[in-house]
Each structure stands twice: as C-alpha cells, then as structure tokens.
Amino acid sequence: MEDDQINNSEVQKPLVDEVIYPDIEPGIINRSLIESSYLKHVHRGEGRRLHQLEPVVLEQILTMRLEFNNILRIDHLWILPNLTKLCLNCNKIETIENIEMLTNLKDLNLSFNFIEKIENLDTLVNLEVLSLFSNKIEAIENIDMLTMLVIISLGNNLIDTVEGIERFRFMNNLKIINLEGNPIAKRTNFCLLKYISAILPKLNYYEYTFIKSELRAEACNLY
C-alpha cells in the first residue's frame, strides 16, 4: 500500500497478500523445513507414510520446493549438494545469499519476494531458468557468469533503464526474456519489445510471445 492509503489498509488488504503470505511465523530455512517440505511434495498417501519411517537421504534430493513458507532468509541449502531445481517463490526473502554451493542448479525460482539486488549467482554456471519476477530489483547486474541461461524473467520489478540488457548478448542459449511491468516497459515513445528484438538477435520470445521476423526487421531499422 502507498503511504496515503495506510489508514485504509485494514479494510482494503489486497487478496494477493492473503495468498502469498500465509499465517506462518517468518523464519529461516533449516533442516527441519527442508525435510518436511521434501516429504510433503515428493510422496503422497501411503507412500509418504512409509517414506517417513526411513531417513531422508539429502544427497539424493534433486528438487526442493519451499514456496509459501514465509521465509525471510536463505540458509542450510549446503546440505543439498545435488539440487537441480529450487523453488523459493512467494516468500519474504530480501537477499539472494547462501546458494553459491548449489553448482548443479538448473532452475531457480525467486519470484514474488522482496529482493532488491541480483547478486551471489556467479557460481551457478549451469543455471538455465531464472525467475525473479515481482521483486524490488532496480538494475540488471551480476549475471555475466550465467552463460547457460535459456529463460530469465525480471518482470514486475523497478528497472527503469535499458542499461544491463546488452549483457544478454553474450548468452548464446538465451531464448526467452520477460521485462514487462517494469518502469522501462511503460515509457511513452519507447518500445522495449523493439529495442530488445534489435539488440538481441538470437532471442526468440519476449514475454513468452514469439518475436516475428517483420517486427525484428523494423526494430533493427530503429536501433
């Protein structure tokens, strides 16, 4: 809510707050949360009950889903050395941290958090999918080492400049970018789609919509 709407916040609470932030005490990722989330998502019914009787082999876990847990801080993920997919969306995370050891990671979802800066991703050189949708990011930075990226979503952030977009030119596998919902995408007399189509000739999709050859040709004449 904006400052001038604070007085009405109790009666006009956005539905999204109720969905994204459940009534769970905010906290830090720990081993107990990791094990309970693994059992919750991997096994169902009788299979889950039987699996609970056995110790969780952390080294064998490839996917970890920790969304909707009111997480404030990332920690303890070093106990999952072979993780390839990590879902931390819909929490209250402010800083990307303590994931540099997850060098096998291919899919990282940090959307719907409170992250202000892209950082601490340099070691994740196998990352193919990165979602930072709906955070508080102001700059495209610290992504030079992510040369394996295929999809990156930075939509609904606070990015208000094209600076940093040129970094994507060196990612030969990149096919999909989303920057919609940022201030830079709302400027009058400026088409972000055309700008991206011109400077990123290998890109196939913008905001998950195919970039047609006619549009790219027009964009190249502009930029």
Side-chain angles (χ1 to χ4, degrees), residues 158-202:
L158 302 176
I159 300 168
D160 63 357
T161 174
V162 297
E163 184 177 352
I165 294 178
E166 72 281 354
R167 299 171 186 267
F168 295 124
R169 299 188 69 171
F170 304 101
M171 299 179 182
N172 293 326
N173 297 313
L174 192 63
K175 302 300 179 185
I176 302 174
I177 288 179
N178 181 21
L179 285 168
E180 285 302 301
N182 284 285
I184 185 62
K186 300 175 182 178
R187 286 187 184 178
T188 56
N189 302 319
F190 174 73
C191 180
L192 182 59
L193 169 58
K194 291 181 179 179
Y195 177 80
I196 286 178
S197 299
I199 70 166
L200 302 177
K202 296 181 181 179

Side-chain angles (χ1 to χ4, degrees), residues 5-169:
Q5 294 178 317
I6 290 178
N7 293 333
N8 297 325
S9 61
E10 293 298 320
V11 295
Q12 295 182 356
K13 183 178 180 181
L15 178 62
V16 68
D17 285 348
E18 299 175 4
V19 175
I20 293 179
Y21 310 122
D23 189 17
I24 302 172
E25 188 70 22
I28 301 173
I29 298 173
N30 55 33
R31 183 173 183 136
S32 176
L33 177 59
I34 288 172
E35 291 188 354
S36 62
S37 295
Y38 170 72
L39 293 172
K40 175 182 178 181
H41 291 106
V42 174
H43 296 277
R44 304 290 180 185
E46 182 66 9
R48 180 189 296 176
R49 189 189 70 80
L50 293 174
H51 197 78
Q52 287 175 332
L53 302 176
E54 304 172 356
V56 176
V57 182
L58 298 170
E59 292 78 10
Q60 295 181 2
I61 297 178
L62 301 180
T63 298
M64 178 54 55
R65 298 185 58 181
L66 294 167
E67 61 265 58
F68 297 102
N69 276 294
N70 237 3
I71 295 167
L72 292 175
R73 182 170 175 240
I74 304 171
D75 207 348
H76 286 89
L77 293 177
W78 55 268
I79 65 178
L80 302 170
N82 297 309
L83 207 61
T84 60
K85 182 175 182 177
L86 176 60
C87 299
L88 288 166
N89 48 299
C90 304
N91 284 292
K92 294 185 177 180
I93 298 167
E94 297 180 354
T95 304
I96 303 173
E97 60 184 341
N98 299 321
I99 60 172
E100 62 275 0
M101 74 295 295
L102 302 178
T103 55
N104 293 309
L105 207 60
K106 293 186 176 182
D107 190 332
L108 176 60
N109 190 343
L110 285 163
S111 56
F112 296 101
N113 278 287
F114 295 87
I115 297 166
E116 297 181 356
K117 183 178 182 180
I118 303 174
E119 59 186 337
N120 299 321
L121 298 176
D122 287 351
T123 60
L124 307 186
V125 294
N126 292 304
L127 204 60
E128 297 177 357
V129 179
L130 174 60
S131 179
L132 288 162
F133 185 87
S134 196
N135 277 279
K136 296 184 177 182
I137 295 168
E138 297 182 1
I140 300 173
E141 58 186 340
N142 302 320
I143 58 170
D144 295 345
M145 301 303 295
L146 307 181
T147 57
M148 298 298 290
L149 274 182
V150 177
I151 301 173
I152 183 166
S153 177
L154 291 166
N156 279 18
N157 276 282
L158 302 176
I159 300 168
D160 63 357
T161 174
V162 297
E163 184 177 352
I165 294 178
E166 72 281 354
R167 299 171 186 267
F168 295 124
R169 299 188 69 171

